[in-house]
Structures are given as C-alpha cells and as structure tokens.
C-alpha cells in the first residue's frame, strides 16, 4: 500500500518493516492524520499552555496513561476516573491539532508527551509549567513496547520476533529514538534547569507505594488532597480495575488506523520485573552491556527491581 504523507517505512536488518512519523529531529509514532510531522513539531512548539497546566512526560510504555489518570484526579479533586479521550479533550500534545484539540483552557489541565524538553511548547519554559517526568525500567518498557507494536493494526505491526525487536531497539531505537538517550537528555534538563518545577517519578516506586507517591505529587502540585483522598485514587487506579478505561472508540480507529493496537486498549500487565519472563541470559547480558556504555557517565538512572 502507499505510504501516507509524513510517514516513512524503514527495515531493520532482519527485513521487518518499521513505520515511523518523520519529524526530522524527532521520530514519532506513526498516525495517518498528520500530513507533515516536521511542521507539526513546530506546531507543538507554538502551542499555548496555561501556567497551571501539568505535563506528564515519559518514554513510550512507561506508564504515562496510568499516571495521567491519577494526576487528573488530583487536579480535579475527584475519585472518579477521567472521561475517555475525545476530539475536544485529547491530552496528548504530540498529536494534538490534527483533528483533536486539548481540553478547553478554562482551567489547569493534565497533559502528556513523550518529547524532550527542547521540543515542548515554548510556554512550558516561559510560564514554568510543572512537569512530571516518569521513568520506567527500560527492560520492562521494551517488553511492553514489543507487545504494543506487535499488536498494532496492519500495516505498521512489527512482524519480527522478540529477539529481533530487542536487537533493533538496542542498535537503532524505535519510536522517539533510544530510551537511553531519552533518559540522559531529561537528566541533563533537570540538572540544567534547577529552577524549573520538574518532579521525577520512578514507575517502580509508584507501583510499590502508590499512596506515598501520590502524596508527594500532591505536595508538588499544590492540590492539597488528604491521605484518604490519595488512598481512594490509588484504589480506583489499580491496573486490574482499568482494563476498559481507555478503550478506543470505533470512530477514533477509523480515522487513525495507523496508531492503535487491535484490542484498542492502552494497558497490558504493568508488572515490575515482567522482563524476566522474556529476556534470555544472553539477551540480558547484551542489554546490560549496551546500557552500561550508553549511561557510563550518568550513574544509576533506572530502578531495575
């Protein structure tokens, strides 16, 4: 089939197709509703935000949607799950403006992105918009991403094996580039912008003690919610309760066939340490070798257990 405008198809060394949104400096996940990703990257830079908006940023499959649920509830002061995405309340900056818009800017909003700081809207820095940077063990993130790209609708489905996928992401990255470079760049951002309100959350800590993390986020956001409120949010947002919270509507699927997986859901397992069910000893040794080289001058940036 013809490749829609704005998208490119590359092959890994095993001959598997990799569909990408060609943003030039940024390789996006592919959606067929953005005709020119390079212009779209500029559109993102020009987006107008409120000073009381909150931006959740993380590499793909780091738990971004899960955390977005909880932050939305803290901001809104409700223990009810936020509404499903729609054309007028789509919180994902990276593809907003392509037939979808952010929620009306009459109050602070919880928004999401996978981008580096330098590609975010200028208003983020100019208005000191609060950022929550979410980090997940890259081994678990890669397993989750493999299942996601392996279940996307054709033609962008990745048809290779787990070993082929892992080799590919270690050598060349995937959507949004290398997870190691993503983490390094955000670490530099935190160090180089000490006055910008950026709160670092490790997915593993969020899973281990959700209420504690929510209380810390509550302090960071200044939402002044009680411990009981945070407990209620944590109970509502356990992943086993959220299987159908962001099922995608048929009209979204029909307008955006290049983005979504065939079961139309955002969540799979969300477990810490699931990578141990997939990595062989050799794969784990190779991953640790690459990770050690990529992050040699950065110290321990991930929690692996």
């Amino acid at each position: 089939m013809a490749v829609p405008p704005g998208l490119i198809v590359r092959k890994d060394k095993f001959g598997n197709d990799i569909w990408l949104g060609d943003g030039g400096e940024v390789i996006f996940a592919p959606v067929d509703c953005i005709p020119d990703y390079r212009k779209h990257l500029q559109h993102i830079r020009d987006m107008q935000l409120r000073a009381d908006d909150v931006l959740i940023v993380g590499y793909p499959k780091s738990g971004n949607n899960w955390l977005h649920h909880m932050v939305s509830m803290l901001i809104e002061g409700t223990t009810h799950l936020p509404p499903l995405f729609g054309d007028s309340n789509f919180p994902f900056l990276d593809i907003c403006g392509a037939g979808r818009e952010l929620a009306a800017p009459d109050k602070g909003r919880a928004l999401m992105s996978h981008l580096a700081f330098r590609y975010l809207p200028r208003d983020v820095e100019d208005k000191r918009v609060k950022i929550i940077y979410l980090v997940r063990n890259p081994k678990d993130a890669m397993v989750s991403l493999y299942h996601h790209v392996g279940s996307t609708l054709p033609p962008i489905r990745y048809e290779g094996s787990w070993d082929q996928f892992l080799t590919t992401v270690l050598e060349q990255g995937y959507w949004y580039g290398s997870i190691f470079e993503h983490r390094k760049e955000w670490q530099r951002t935190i160090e180089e912008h000490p006055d910008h309100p950026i709160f670092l959350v490790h997915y593993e800590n969020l899973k281990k003690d959700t209420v504690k993390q929510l209380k810390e986020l509550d302090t960071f956001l200044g939402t002044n919610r009680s411990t009981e409120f945070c407990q209620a949010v944590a109970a509502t947002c356990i992943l086993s309760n959220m299987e159908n919270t962001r099922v995608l509507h048929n009209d979204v699927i029909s307008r955006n066939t290049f983005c979504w997986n065939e079961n139309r859901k955002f969540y799979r397992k969300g477990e810490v340490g699931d990578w141990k069910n997939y990595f062989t000893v050799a794969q784990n040794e190779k991953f640790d070798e690459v990770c050690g080289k990529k992050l040699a001058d950065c110290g321990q940036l991930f929690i692996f257990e």
Side-chain angles (χ1 to χ4, degrees):
M1 67 171 293
V3 179
L7 302 187
I8 55 175
V9 183
R10 295 175 180 166
K11 289 187 180 292
D12 64 16
K13 68 181 184 181
F14 307 104
N16 300 302
D17 287 344
I18 302 176
W19 287 70
L20 307 165
D22 182 14
E25 295 180 52
V26 176
I27 298 300
F28 290 84
V31 294
D32 59 355
C33 58
I34 298 175
D36 189 330
Y37 272 97
R38 299 186 185 214
K39 290 182 179 178
H40 187 67
L41 194 58
Q42 183 60 47
H43 167 74
I44 294 171
R45 289 287 286 161
D46 294 337
M47 283 182 180
Q48 294 185 348
L49 302 183
R50 292 172 54 100
D52 56 353
D53 285 333
V54 178
L55 187 56
I56 298 158
V57 181
Y59 193 80
K61 311 311 292 183
S62 294
N64 306 282
N65 278 278
W66 181 44
L67 182 56
H68 180 265
H69 272 320
M70 293 187 280
V71 171
S72 296
M73 294 162 77
L74 284 174
I75 291 174
E76 295 292 334
T78 178
T79 56
H80 297 293
L81 290 169
L84 294 173
F85 294 162
D87 287 341
S88 61
N89 69 333
F90 203 74
F92 190 33
L93 292 184
D94 300 10
I95 56 174
C96 268
R100 298 185 181 85
E101 303 299 333
L102 301 178
D106 54 1
K107 59 182 177 179
R109 302 157 295 182
L111 307 173
M112 294 191 295
S113 178
H114 298 309
L115 293 169
F117 186 77
R118 57 197 163 112
Y119 299 121
L120 295 175
R122 293 181 186 86
D123 275 356
V124 170
E125 188 166 7
D126 293 345
K127 297 180 180 179
R128 290 175 48 82
V129 172
K130 290 180 178 179
I131 297 172
I132 302 170
Y133 180 54
L134 179 62
V135 179
R136 188 181 187 186
N137 167 5
K139 295 178 184 179
D140 279 334
M142 288 302 98
V143 168
S144 182
L145 184 59
Y146 170 68
H147 283 282
H148 181 82
V149 300
S151 63
T152 49
L153 298 171
I156 69 164
R157 176 180 295 155
Y158 184 80
E159 301 290 355
S161 66
W162 159 245
D163 186 67
Q164 291 172 345
F165 177 80
L166 182 61
T167 299
T168 297
V169 297
L170 287 177
E171 292 182 356
Q172 65 188 63
Y174 211 80
W175 300 338
Y176 293 90
S178 163
I179 190 171
F180 305 115
E181 294 303 320
H182 193 278
R183 180 69 180 91
K184 283 172 65 176
E185 179 151 357
W186 269 100
Q187 187 64 28
R188 285 195 299 269
T189 296
I190 293 170
E191 294 168 356
E192 293 170 2
H193 297 80
D195 296 329
H196 196 100
I198 303 175
F199 188 87
L200 176 66
V201 175
H202 283 276
Y203 179 89
E204 292 74 21
N205 289 337
L206 193 61
K207 284 281 289 184
K208 182 179 180 180
D209 194 337
T210 306
V211 175
K212 178 182 178 182
Q213 291 292 299
L214 287 178
K215 285 298 296 177
E216 292 180 0
L217 282 167
D218 173 62
T219 299
F220 173 70
L221 297 173
T223 43
N224 299 313
R225 309 302 177 199
S226 67
T227 299
E228 291 74 20
F229 181 92
C230 293
Q231 290 171 336
V233 169
T236 300
C237 291
I238 59 173
L239 291 177
S240 59
N241 283 348
M242 300 175 64
E243 183 177 0
N244 297 311
T245 58
R246 287 197 170 159
V247 175
L248 298 163
H249 299 296
N250 287 333
D251 62 332
V252 175
I253 292 289
S254 65
R255 288 186 294 105
N256 199 1
T257 55
F258 286 83
C259 190
W260 309 117
N261 55 30
E262 59 190 357
N263 64 18
R264 304 178 183 177
K265 296 176 181 178
F266 286 88
Y267 305 106
R268 189 178 67 90
K269 285 185 177 180
E271 295 177 357
V272 174
D274 190 42
W275 65 269
K276 297 175 184 177
N277 297 317
Y278 294 87
F279 278 71
T280 65
V281 172
Q283 289 170 345
N284 191 48
E285 290 175 349
K286 179 63 176 178
F287 191 99
D288 288 347
E289 177 187 353
V290 172
C291 183
K293 289 179 179 178
K294 294 284 188 181
L295 304 179
D297 57 343
C298 299
Q300 179 61 267
L301 299 182
F302 298 105
I303 296 176
F304 285 93
E305 296 292 342

